């Protein structure tokens, strides 16, 4: 019979270099927090966590030995990870892996009910990303040259700003919230979602045409700071914008 801890476990800010062996193979019914330590490995971590699992601000280079199942959120921000191999197979809500050194999303959960954040890493591709994200997907601040591998459907926002994209090929087909692709090197909107529920941001790119823009935008449309100063009439000719247009 496996051992179980009822409640939360808080091991944050203890200058730990490794997790106590006593926790290995244990189930924690609540949250597990080991933020702000000097961990380089998750060896000794519990196998199942009923709440959130947080290992932010350590020196982790691998997620091997992470819990197999986390019913709440999984946080591994601000470490030294280059890969997500070893990450939990199932996460009940959000998955956050921003501010690492990720060059690949291999090992990421296939389905994320909540948000998925992999912003501010070193990604050049989204291959390995979850196929479905229930809320928002953030991959801003990387070195992406393509959106191939992105989730097909995103329930909330999709943020791919501040990358090296020249095309939106591979972007989700539908985005329930806002689609944010400003501050790239886009020369075309080909590949953009057909439908965007919130705002559409494509400012600060290299656009000279609006061909490929979404057919419908439920919020505002921003296309300022491109080589061509588009008119509101040009935007409305290609897109049914429910809100305001900012050129």
């Amino acid at each position: 019979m496996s051992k179980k801890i009822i409640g939360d476990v808080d091991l944050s800010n203890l200058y730990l270099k490794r997790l106590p062996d006593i926790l290995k193979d244990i189930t924690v019914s609540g949250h597990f927090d080991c933020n702000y330590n000097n961990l380089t490995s998750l060896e000794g971590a519990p196998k199942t966590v009923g709440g959130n699992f947080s290992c932010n601000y350590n020196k982790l280079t691998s997620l091997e030995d992470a819990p197999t199942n986390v019913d709440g959120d999984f946080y591994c921000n601000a470490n030294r990870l280059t890969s997500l191999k070893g990450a939990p197979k199932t996460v009940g809500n959000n998955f956050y892996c921003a501010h690492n050194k990720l060059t690949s999303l291999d090992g990421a959960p296939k389905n994320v009910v909540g948000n998925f954040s992999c912003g501010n890493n070193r990604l050049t591709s989204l291959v390995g990303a979850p196929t479905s994200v229930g809320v928002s997907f953030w991959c801003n601040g990387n070195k992406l040259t393509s959106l191939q591998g992105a989730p097909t459907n995103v329930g909330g926002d999709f943020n791919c700003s501040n990358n090296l994209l020249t095309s939106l090929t591979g972007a989700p087909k539908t985005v329930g919230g806002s689609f944010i692709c400003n501050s790239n090197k886009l020369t075309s909107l080909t590949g953009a979602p057909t439908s965007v529920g919130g705002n559409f941001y494509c400012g600060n790119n290299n656009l000279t045409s609006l061909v490929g823009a979404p057919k419908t935008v439920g919020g505002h449309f921003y296309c300022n700071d491109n080589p061509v100063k588009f008119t509101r009439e040009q935007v409305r000719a290609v897109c049914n914008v429910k809100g305001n247009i900012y050129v």
Side-chain angles (χ1 to χ4, degrees):
M1 185 174 180
S2 61
K3 297 179 180 178
K4 186 172 185 178
I5 294 176
I6 306 297
D8 302 333
V9 174
D10 187 357
L11 300 176
S12 58
N13 290 292
L14 295 178
Y15 306 100
L16 295 175
K17 292 184 176 180
R18 58 173 295 158
L19 292 172
D21 291 335
I22 194 172
L23 296 171
K24 192 172 183 179
D25 296 324
I26 278 181
T27 294
V28 174
S29 70
H31 303 312
F32 185 92
D33 185 346
C34 58
N35 296 325
Y36 296 101
N37 282 295
N38 295 312
L39 300 172
T40 57
S41 158
L42 290 178
E43 184 179 359
K47 289 304 175 189
T48 302
V49 173
N52 301 333
F53 182 94
S54 303
C55 56
N56 301 316
Y57 295 98
N58 278 284
K59 299 176 181 178
L60 296 173
T61 57
S62 168
L63 292 180
E64 296 293 339
D65 297 308
T68 306
N69 298 297
V70 174
D71 291 342
D73 301 337
F74 183 86
Y75 299 88
C76 59
N77 298 314
N79 279 286
R80 299 175 182 177
L81 300 169
T82 58
S83 161
L84 295 178
K85 290 180 179 176
K89 299 299 181 187
T90 60
V91 172
N93 197 21
N94 304 312
F95 189 103
Y96 296 98
C97 55
H99 296 283
N100 277 286
K101 298 181 179 181
L102 294 174
T103 57
S104 167
L105 291 179
D106 287 343
K110 293 303 177 188
N111 295 293
V112 173
V113 176
N115 301 310
F116 183 90
S117 173
C118 58
N120 298 105
N121 278 288
R122 299 177 181 178
L123 298 168
T124 58
S125 164
L126 292 179
V127 173
T131 54
S132 174
V133 173
V135 187
S136 295
F137 183 97
W138 296 293
C139 57
N140 53 296
N142 279 286
K143 299 180 180 181
L144 295 173
T145 56
S146 167
L147 293 180
Q148 296 290 351
T152 306
N153 297 297
V154 172
D157 298 340
F158 184 91
N159 187 345
C160 59
S161 62
N162 292 286
N163 278 289
L164 304 174
L165 299 169
T166 57
S167 162
L168 295 177
T169 301
K173 299 302 181 188
T174 59
V175 171
S178 295
F179 186 93
I180 307 159
C181 59
N182 53 289
S183 301
N184 276 284
K185 297 183 177 183
L186 294 173
T187 57
S188 166
L189 293 179
T190 299
T194 306
S195 173
V196 173
N199 301 327
F200 182 81
Y201 299 86
C202 61
N204 194 27
N205 278 290
N206 297 323
L207 296 171
T208 57
S209 165
L210 295 174
V211 172
K215 299 299 182 187
T216 61
V217 168
H220 307 313
F221 192 110
Y222 297 81
C223 57
N224 51 297
D225 297 318
N226 278 290
V228 170
K229 184 172 175 60
F230 301 108
T231 66
R232 291 176 176 82
E233 290 73 23
Q234 285 175 308
V235 175
R236 294 206 184 275
V238 296
C239 179
N240 179 10
V241 181
K242 304 296 186 185
N244 298 324
I245 297 172
Y246 297 90
V247 295

